[in-house]
Amino acid sequence: MSWGTELWDQYDNLALHTQKGIDFLDKYGSFVRDRCAIELEYASKLRRLVKNYQPKKKEEEDYEYTSWQAFRNVLKEIGDLAGQREIVAETLQAKVIHGISLLSKNLRDDRKKCLTEGATLTHTLATQIAALERAKRNYDKSYRDAEKSIENYQKADADLNLSRAEVEKHKHNMTMKCQQSDDSKNEYANQLQKSNNLQRTHYETSLPEVFNRLQEIDEKRTKGIKEFIKSAADAESSVAPIIARCLEGIVKASESIDEKEDSLKVIERYKSGFTPPADIPFEDLSKVDAESSNYSSQNNLGINNMTQKGTMGANKLKKRVGIFGIFGSNKNTLSTDGMKEDFSDLPPNQRRKKLMAKIQEIQQKITQETAAYDGLVKMKGVYEANTMLGDPTTVDAQLNESGSRLEKLKSELKKFKMYLDAANNAQMMQHSPQTHRNMYNGQRSSRHSNGSGENEDGEDNPDDAGSLSSSSASPESGLGTSHTSLPGSGHGSANDNNHPEDMYYEAELLQPLGTCKALYPFDATSEGSIPMAEGEELQVIELDQGDGWTRVRRMCGSNGWEEGFVPTSYIESTLYA
């Protein structure tokens, strides 16, 4: 069905309808244009949001935690999402908005041509109808005049009083009027035929062709809107897989968060490395003497100092360096942040981290300086091969400077590696369970034998732990091969001249105090400790004496059993009644 057949008499309504259709197309174009602006604004705000929440330089250290790293990945994915919104806006701008503008212009031009042609056809038909009306009026007038002239002639011919000349005059008038009436009739018939033919052609051929073209214009406009809506959806669908991957990345970032790992990193970051203080001994004033008084004061000083170091954070342990610190007796030079060069004023763990970071920094500088030195050597070789390119002697000074810088960096690297080795040795000695137990059991004897336990800076000597471990006869000495000590006996050192039979006899006397179950797996990384698996059951042969370690026995090994220390917090003990 076509407009030309069904709507032959709806010229004005079709003209109004097609105008409304093109206006609607322009309205949809405005909608897409506004959507593009919103997409671009949304992308811009997303990028601004990501920029505002990017980690600051002072926060970089905190981004070692999985939750902070996940947030950084979320910011990256959000930035990618913003890019996809920009792509959607660009696609809509290039394909939809531009296409709508072009289609609207073409449709308006075609509609104007059709309406102009339709107006011309309508005007032509109206002109022909007007000519027909004029011919009809002329015919009507001439016909009445002819009838009147006939009537006058008949009256004159019947009147005997009129002369022959007057009768002839009326006859001539009658003949002329009849001729005019016939001419008008013929003209009217001719105009009527022309009008009918033109009207038939107008309503059956010419005007339907115009209406059919208007129908094509309107259908083209409707089809265009259909394609533009689909193109807008395709623009969204084309980035949907990437957006889905961004969302998957956000989900993956959330799944990468590990609260246990973050907790361990907090321990690693803030752990000082100091051991908890031992119990404060009871001082019997009735039996106090000069030596014990001196020991007590020193011991309290050491305990208070240890407690302070053990409870304060790493950042709080930095010594204040004022103008009077310049004249102090510090063995190490101070860095710009007020710490010693070897970071010995930091807790053991923090010191090791600082030293490793410093070593890594120096190694990077050495790599860069080595590359610069090699480049200078190559440049000198090129200059020596072709003096036109440059003077080789000009490179010698730069080579000397680079070589001296390289040697200085290497010496610094060696020095800081020595610092790190010393810190590692002190850390191993301090974290050994034998050291803890020896420090607990042999503290007083070591103090008496060594005199003052302070160094020249007024701090506890870190080597005291090693001396205590090596000098005191503790049950942990030679752990794993000798099992001859009872809890608190103070015997069983590897240096004792015991016979194998006595060792076996005493080992039999070590009755278990109870059993324990491993709550967590433990890897033996320090001297005197033994590994255990989660859920493993062991025998308790010596209780925790305040140092955080419990001595246990496993019935296995080449000798039939294996003994060592495990962290008390890693086990659940059940003692015999």
Side-chain angles (χ1 to χ4, degrees):
M1 300 178 71
S2 64
W3 289 5
T5 303
E6 305 295 332
L7 304 176
W8 61 272
D9 57 344
Q10 300 296 321
Y11 176 86
D12 294 336
N13 288 332
L14 291 179
L16 181 61
H17 172 76
T18 51
Q19 180 63 43
K20 286 182 177 180
I22 296 176
D23 292 340
F24 174 73
L25 177 64
D26 292 338
K27 183 178 181 180
Y28 178 72
S30 299
F31 163 77
V32 178
R33 192 175 294 106
D34 291 342
R35 183 188 171 188
C36 284
I38 292 174
E39 293 282 358
L40 291 175
E41 183 182 3
Y42 176 55
S44 176
K45 288 186 176 181
L46 282 181
R47 291 195 181 280
R48 191 180 306 115
L49 177 67
V50 171
K51 182 179 179 182
N52 292 339
Y53 281 88
Q54 282 297 326
K56 306 297 187 295
K57 188 175 182 181
K58 61 181 180 180
E59 298 175 345
E60 284 294 335
E61 191 176 10
D62 294 326
Y63 276 84
E64 64 181 0
Y65 303 118
T66 57
S67 57
W68 292 58
Q69 292 173 0
F71 178 64
R72 195 209 300 260
N73 293 334
V74 169
L75 291 179
K76 178 179 178 298
E77 300 297 343
I78 295 298
D80 293 341
L81 282 176
Q84 300 310 310
R85 304 322 305 179
E86 290 174 347
I87 291 176
V88 171
E90 292 174 358
T91 304
L92 292 177
Q93 182 71 35
K95 292 185 177 180
V96 179
I97 296 178
H98 179 71
I100 288 176
S101 300
L102 185 61
L103 178 61
S104 176
K105 182 178 180 303
N106 293 335
L107 292 180
R108 288 183 184 277
D109 293 340
D110 293 342
R111 175 182 176 275
K112 185 177 179 180
K113 291 179 180 178
C114 290
L115 294 180
T116 301
E117 184 177 352
T120 302
L121 293 174
T122 303
H123 179 70
T124 302
L125 179 60
T127 302
Q128 182 58 43
I129 296 298
L132 176 62
E133 291 295 330
R134 289 194 301 271
K136 184 178 179 181
R137 287 195 299 270
N138 292 335
Y139 170 61
D140 183 58
K141 181 182 178 181
S142 61
Y143 178 76
R144 287 194 298 269
D145 290 343
E147 285 184 344
K148 187 177 181 179
S149 64
I150 292 174
E151 183 180 355
N152 291 332
Y153 169 70
Q154 291 176 353
K155 288 180 180 181
D157 187 51
D159 191 0
L160 299 176
N161 296 323
L162 294 178
S163 62
R164 191 68 184 171
E166 291 178 350
V167 174
E168 287 296 330
K169 181 179 178 182
H170 284 288
K171 182 179 180 180
H172 177 72
N173 187 35
M174 180 192 67
T175 304
M176 184 181 66
K177 293 296 183 181
C178 288
Q179 184 63 39
Q180 290 178 355
S181 176
D182 292 339
D183 293 340
S184 298
K185 182 180 179 180
N186 293 333
E187 178 65 19
Y188 170 68
N190 185 31
Q191 291 296 331
L192 180 61
Q193 185 179 5
K194 289 176 60 178
S195 298
N196 288 332
N197 292 335
L198 182 61
Q199 181 174 274
R200 190 181 305 108
T201 304
H202 177 82
Y203 287 110
E204 292 180 1
T205 305
S206 302
L207 195 60
E209 290 179 357
V210 174
F211 285 177
N212 289 336
R213 287 203 299 272
L214 286 177
Q215 182 179 0
E216 292 175 1
I217 291 172
D218 193 70
E219 289 177 353
K220 186 177 180 181
R221 187 262 312 169
T222 305
K223 183 179 179 181
I225 293 177
K226 173 184 175 181
E227 293 176 351
F228 292 138
I229 293 177
K230 184 176 181 298
S231 298
D234 291 341
E236 191 86 17
S237 300
S238 63
V239 300
I242 303 177
I243 293 177
R245 285 198 295 271
C246 292
L247 297 178
E248 290 175 1
I250 293 175
V251 174
K252 187 177 180 181
S254 68
E255 293 174 350
S256 68
I257 298 176
D258 188 347
E259 64 276 8
K260 298 296 183 183
E261 183 179 349
D262 281 0
S263 298
L264 294 177
K265 287 183 178 179
V266 172
I267 296 174
E268 179 66 23
R269 180 173 179 181
Y270 295 108
K271 183 179 180 181
S272 65
F274 291 115
T275 56
D279 293 342
I280 302 174
F282 175 75
E283 298 182 10
D284 192 350
L285 298 180
S286 62
K287 297 180 181 180
V288 69
D289 54 10
E291 183 179 7
S292 62
S293 177
N294 183 28
Y295 159 73
S296 177
S297 62
Q298 293 176 359
N299 190 31
N300 290 337
L301 177 61
I303 290 173
N304 293 336
N305 189 24
M306 183 66 73
T307 302
Q308 182 184 19
K309 290 183 178 179
T311 56
M312 292 178 63
N315 295 331
K316 300 295 184 182
L317 291 172
K318 297 179 182 179
K319 294 183 177 180
R320 298 194 315 178
V321 179
I323 186 172
F324 298 104
I326 301 175
F327 306 100
S329 59
N330 294 334
K331 295 180 180 179
N332 296 311
T333 58
L334 298 178
S335 59
T336 56
D337 55 359
M339 291 187 296
K340 291 183 179 180
E341 183 183 32
D342 61 350
F343 305 106
S344 59
D345 51 349
L346 292 177
N349 262 41
Q350 306 301 323
R351 180 188 182 193
R352 290 176 62 252
K353 288 178 63 177
K354 289 285 187 180
L355 287 173
M356 287 189 290
K358 187 69 175 179
I359 289 173
Q360 185 177 4
E361 179 185 352
I362 294 175
Q363 288 175 342
Q364 291 177 353
K365 290 182 179 179
I366 288 176
T367 303
Q368 296 174 359
E369 195 63 41
T370 303
Y373 186 84
D374 294 341
L376 291 173
V377 171
K378 291 181 180 179
M379 183 183 297
K380 183 178 179 181
V382 172
Y383 287 172
E384 288 176 349
N386 188 356
T387 56
M388 297 295 293
L389 297 177
D391 187 4
T393 58
T394 58
V395 189
D396 292 336
Q398 299 178 11
L399 278 173
N400 293 333
E401 292 178 2
S402 179
S404 62
R405 287 195 298 268
L406 196 57
E407 291 298 327
K408 184 178 179 181
L409 289 172
K410 289 181 178 179
S411 63
E412 285 188 4
L413 179 63
K414 183 178 179 181
K415 177 175 62 174
F416 278 97
K417 283 185 176 180
M418 292 175 61
Y419 289 155
L420 181 61
D421 292 339
N424 288 333
N425 293 334
Q427 188 85 348
M428 290 177 62
M429 294 175 64
Q430 190 172 11
H431 283 277
S432 173
Q434 294 120 316
T435 303
H436 294 171
R437 194 60 60 91
N438 291 341
M439 289 179 64
Y440 179 80
N441 293 333
Q443 187 177 25
R444 183 179 294 275
S445 61
S446 177
R447 290 291 184 178
H448 287 311
S449 62
N450 294 338
S452 174
E454 299 179 358
N455 57 20
E456 60 183 0
D457 291 334
E459 298 180 353
D460 289 347
N461 193 335
D463 294 335
D464 285 351
S467 63
L468 291 174
S469 177
S470 61
S471 63
S472 61
S474 64
E476 290 79 13
S477 300
L479 187 63
T481 58
S482 175
H483 312 280
T484 62
S485 61
L486 291 172
S489 66
H491 299 286
S493 172
N495 296 328
D496 292 343
N497 296 322
N498 294 337
H499 294 288
E501 294 81 6
D502 297 335
M503 295 171 62
Y504 182 76
Y505 177 76
E506 291 182 6
E508 286 182 344
L509 296 179
L510 279 173
Q511 298 297 327
L513 305 177
T515 60
C516 66
K517 182 179 180 181
L519 301 177
Y520 313 102
F522 174 68
D523 295 330
T525 58
S526 56
E527 182 183 0
S529 60
I530 62 172
M532 62 180 180
E534 182 179 355
E536 182 180 0
E537 292 190 359
L538 305 169
Q539 293 181 351
V540 178
I541 60 175
E542 187 174 345
L543 299 178
D544 185 357
Q545 299 182 12
D547 55 2
W549 296 88
T550 299
R551 190 173 179 181
V552 298
R553 176 186 297 156
R554 177 189 292 112
M555 303 307 293
C556 66
S558 59
N559 295 330
W561 69 85
E562 181 182 7
E563 293 181 1
F565 288 91
V566 296
T568 305
S569 59
Y570 278 49
I571 60 175
E572 181 181 10
S573 301
T574 304
L575 301 180
Y576 299 143

